[in-house]
């Protein structure tokens, strides 16, 4: 896709690889996140965090709203299949204190494939393909039948701070109804967790 990205994710500091900030198409900082000190799956066998705690999740702050990226195991084995979910924090916009799932992506390891598949399941069906570029990574987002829906890409071949640009269309060929940009932020986080 050409043109300005809908959202960019940039490592905040060269010396700190766990804190990132989000930038809009004009390059203005509109939010950020920090990785949890100890990530915990929703269905973890060994629980470190108290029941109901969100301390094991990634808290995204974006344009004054908050959401969480959580994960759970779908299949445990030599390699684990994982489901990432983007959940609206009930104290920041979800109706009635109910946690609303905004997006879901499954990371599936399959026999004969070196890299896992990243399948977006909600709000529409899509797959994030492995990078087809060596120096400037570019992950195409394709819908059913291989129709191009967007991309997550590094804009420069070399940078001291990791930077990813995200542009995504919905299944109707138009940007999804997501004024806060949480879907783009979610895709950037999943690509960062799975592909790096």
């Amino acid at each position: 896709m050409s043109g300005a990205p809908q959202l960019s994710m940039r490592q905040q500091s060269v010396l700190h690889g766990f804190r990132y900030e989000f930038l809009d198409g004009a390059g203005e900082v509109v939010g950020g996140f920090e990785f949890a000190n100890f990530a915990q799956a929703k269905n973890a066998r060994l629980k470190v965090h108290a029941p109901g705690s969100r301390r094991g999740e990634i808290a995204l702050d974006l344009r004054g709203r908050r959401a969480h990226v959580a994960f759970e195991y779908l299949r445990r084995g030599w390699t684990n299949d994982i489901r990432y979910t983007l959940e609206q924090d009930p104290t920041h916009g979800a109706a009635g204190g109910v946690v609303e799932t905004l997006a879901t992506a499954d990371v599936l390891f399959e026999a004969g494939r070196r890299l896992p598949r990243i399948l977006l399941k909600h709000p529409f069906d899509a797959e994030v393909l492995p990078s087809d570029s060596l120096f400037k990574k570019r992950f195409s987002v394709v819908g059913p039948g291989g129709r191009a829906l967007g991309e997550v890409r590094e804009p420069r071949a070399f940078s001291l701070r990791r930077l990813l640009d995200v542009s995504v269309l919905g299944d109707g060929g138009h940007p999804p109804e997501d004024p806060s940009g949480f879907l783009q932020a979610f895709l950037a986080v999943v690509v960062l967790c799975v592909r790096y």
Side-chain angles (χ1 to χ4, degrees):
M1 294 183 72
S2 58
Q6 294 167 326
L7 191 76
S8 297
M9 181 182 73
R10 178 176 65 194
Q11 188 176 338
Q12 198 169 13
S13 165
V14 175
L15 302 175
H16 194 312
F18 298 100
R19 187 175 295 147
Y20 287 80
E21 56 193 6
F22 295 115
L23 299 92
D24 63 12
E28 297 293 320
V29 175
V30 292
F33 75 93
E34 186 170 353
F35 281 102
N37 287 332
F38 191 89
Q40 178 175 297
K42 288 181 177 182
N43 58 351
R45 292 178 180 148
L46 174 63
K47 302 218 183 254
V48 175
H49 302 295
S53 171
R54 300 209 90 155
R55 294 186 62 195
E57 302 172 356
I58 297 172
L60 304 179
D61 290 306
L62 194 56
R63 295 182 174 95
R65 295 176 62 203
R66 177 171 274 208
H68 293 266
V69 177
F71 74 100
E72 63 185 314
Y73 296 109
L74 298 175
R75 179 187 58 83
R76 289 182 170 100
W78 184 257
T79 54
N80 298 321
D81 290 344
I82 297 172
R83 173 169 291 149
Y84 288 95
T85 55
L86 175 67
E87 300 171 350
Q88 178 75 49
D89 190 327
T91 60
H92 289 79
V98 176
V99 174
E100 178 186 0
T101 300
L102 303 176
T104 304
D106 291 350
V107 179
L108 306 175
F109 286 86
E110 297 175 353
R113 293 179 64 111
R114 185 175 63 84
L115 297 173
R117 296 180 72 192
I118 301 174
L119 301 174
L120 186 68
K121 296 291 193 180
H122 177 72
F124 52 86
D125 289 335
E127 181 173 2
V128 181
L129 301 176
S131 178
D132 58 2
S133 175
L134 182 61
F135 295 108
K136 293 192 322 184
K137 293 191 177 185
R138 187 175 78 82
F139 308 97
S140 297
V141 179
V142 297
R147 186 167 48 96
L149 297 179
E151 65 184 6
V152 179
R153 66 179 176 89
E154 292 179 324
R156 294 187 285 275
F158 178 76
S159 177
L160 294 176
R161 297 187 292 174
R162 181 161 287 139
L163 175 65
L164 293 174
D165 289 342
V166 184
S167 298
V168 179
L169 300 176
D171 55 0
H174 304 288
E177 291 189 31
D178 182 24
S180 62
F182 275 128
L183 178 61
Q184 290 80 22
F186 175 68
L187 279 175
V189 170
V190 171
V191 165
L192 183 66
C193 290
V194 176
R195 294 290 187 232
Y196 284 93

